[in-house]
Structure formats: structure tokens, C-alpha cells
Amino acid sequence: MTSVVNIAAYKFVSLDCLPELRLRLLDEAAQAALKGTILLAEEGINLFLAGSAEGIDGFLGSLRADARFADLEVKFSRSGAVPFRKLLVKVKREIIRMDHPAIRPEAGRAPGVDAHTLARWLEQGVDDAGRPVVMLDTRNAFEVDEGTFTNAIDWRIERFTQFPAAVQAHRAELEGKTVVSFCTGGIRCEKAAIYMNEAGIPNVYQLDGGILKYFEETGGPGYEGKCFVFDERVSLDPALEPSVALGV
């Protein structure tokens, strides 16, 4: 059975009174019997939670009642058991650490490409302007080893804070091409695309919703292997089935 609903979501939005917000979300998630992690920072929210469909719906309803999260976009998958051992709500300096405070997605995100458009580009080999399309994996090397897009650029970074230096060292690889940055759920490639745009690299896009939304909407054409996830499922295949069958 796959009775447990798993959600992943993030939003770059200015937040204040973080200790109070932390306690409120901790209480709401606990009341809904959810487990997983919620990260809060002045730049926004990032969450990975699991529980019953009723619990997830109730929590999302409460969260979206806050105007700052009203348009929160969520990625869904299912599993046979909850893949998290406890509930954590943490206040951090960044919801995804890059150590480049000038990169503020809330002030204006880089252009995005949706899953169906990307699938078409990959089948064509070029974008709608006729430029070659290259996929740029912004994840850590151990995540890439679980699976990635065919012929994706992989700079073997060990943590996301190394990404800016890798761009500067390898930017010649990107010249004359349409670059689509991607990651698990979209949060890293959003910052990555902004950084590359501000570094003067043209024709850079981010994959909206990341690999998980691409799997959810297209079934994963052009992707080889599985997508690593940071919970007890270990990784998900393009049908969003986990490597480890929880609850069996």
C-alpha cells in the first residue's frame, strides 16, 4: 500500500519573527501528525513532510492561509510508510546555503522552463530558437551518481557553496548553448540560474520544480537512473517509486 503522502515545497519570500513562526508551524505540523523537516530563514521556507492525506491537506490549508505562502507550489509522491523518523522545524541563515547573500530570488527569479517544454527540447536537441540545449546538474556528486539527465554537465561539486567557483572555472563549456540548471526540487537550480545570469552567461533557465516535478508531469524522458532524496526512501524512479519499499 502507498497510503502515506510525501510533499516537498519551497518558496523564496521575506520572513520575519522567525522564532514565533517556527513554533507555530511546529505546532500545526505536530497536530497534523506529520514528520519531516521545515527550514525557515529570512529568505523563505523549504519543507519535506510526510503523513496521511488528511494531515497533509490540513497542514497545507493552514500554511496557505498565511498570505506569504498562499501560492506555495507543492510536489507530491506516495510511499508505504513515513520516510522520516521525527519532525524538525529549524531556523537557518539560508534555506539553501550558497554563501552569496546578493543572490535573492524573491527580488526576481531567472527564466524557468516547465517540464513538458524541456521534454520537447530534449527530444529535439535544441530549444525553440535552435540553440543546443545542455543540462547542468547543480547537485552534489553523490546525488548525481544515483541518476541524472543524459549527457548532463556534472562538475562533481561536494556541496552547493562550491557551485559559483565551478561556474567561473567552466563557463567556456556553456558558451553558445541554452543552459538548463536542475536539481531535486528546484531550490538549488533557482539560485544557480540567478548566479549565472548575474555572471553574464546568456540563455540560462531553471527547471521549474526540479527533477521531482519533471518525473511527476512527464515520467522522466531523457533521465537515466533515479533521483536521490534525503529521506529513508533513498531515491525515486521516474514513476516516483522509492528504492526502499517502506512499510512492506
Side-chain angles (χ1 to χ4, degrees):
M1 294 181 60
T2 55
S3 59
V4 172
V5 176
N6 301 274
I7 60 171
Y10 74 91
K11 184 180 180 184
F12 288 105
V13 59
S14 293
L15 299 178
D16 56 12
C17 301
L18 294 176
E20 292 86 349
L21 179 60
R22 175 190 171 275
L23 290 176
R24 191 190 93 203
L25 296 185
L26 179 62
D27 179 65
E28 291 175 356
Q31 289 293 326
L34 305 183
K35 293 184 179 179
T37 301
I38 302 173
L39 301 180
L40 300 169
E42 291 181 357
E43 68 176 4
I45 186 171
N46 187 19
L47 61 87
F48 303 87
L49 295 170
S52 68
E54 294 78 13
I56 290 291
D57 287 346
F59 176 78
L60 287 177
S62 297
L63 186 62
R64 286 170 170 154
D66 185 325
R68 296 171 294 182
F69 308 123
D71 59 350
L72 184 75
E73 295 186 6
V74 179
K75 294 166 284 292
F76 293 89
S77 61
R78 288 183 173 269
S79 59
V82 174
F84 304 101
R85 298 186 180 183
K86 52 189 172 181
L87 172 65
L88 297 172
V89 184
K90 300 179 179 180
V91 174
K92 309 282 282 185
R93 186 173 64 183
E94 298 176 78
I95 55 174
I96 183 66
R97 185 179 171 191
M98 193 184 205
D99 289 344
H100 273 260
I103 303 298
R104 297 190 59 81
E106 185 189 10
R109 68 198 304 264
V113 58
D114 65 80
H116 291 286
T117 298
L118 177 62
R120 179 166 53 79
W121 285 0
L122 293 177
E123 184 178 10
Q124 296 170 176
V126 296
D127 67 6
D128 294 334
R131 285 184 296 266
V133 176
V134 295
M135 302 298 296
L136 175 58
D137 204 324
T138 66
R139 299 172 300 159
N140 300 331
F142 73 89
E143 298 172 74
V144 180
D145 290 342
E146 195 75 19
T148 188
F149 283 93
T150 303
N151 297 323
I153 295 174
D154 167 26
W155 290 328
R156 309 307 294 170
I157 62 176
E158 296 178 353
R159 53 190 179 276
F160 189 55
T161 52
Q162 297 173 344
F163 181 80
V167 170
Q168 297 303 330
H170 297 278
R171 60 185 299 157
E173 294 179 47
L174 311 178
E175 291 180 3
K177 303 180 177 78
T178 287
V179 180
V180 179
S181 65
F182 68 93
C183 59
T184 306
I187 188 170
R188 282 176 282 187
C189 55
E190 184 153 347
K191 279 192 172 183
I194 293 173
Y195 177 83
M196 288 188 285
N197 275 330
E198 294 190 356
I201 299 172
N203 307 316
V204 173
Y205 294 83
Q206 58 195 336
L207 174 56
D208 289 333
I211 299 166
L212 296 182
K213 181 60 70 172
Y214 188 76
F215 283 179
E216 184 181 335
E217 295 195 353
T218 72
Y223 193 95
E224 298 180 351
K226 299 180 179 182
C227 178
F228 182 89
V229 290
F230 290 89
D231 60 54
E232 293 180 3
R233 293 173 295 172
V234 180
S235 62
L236 301 178
D237 67 17
L240 296 174
E241 292 295 329
S243 296
V244 176
L246 303 176
V248 175

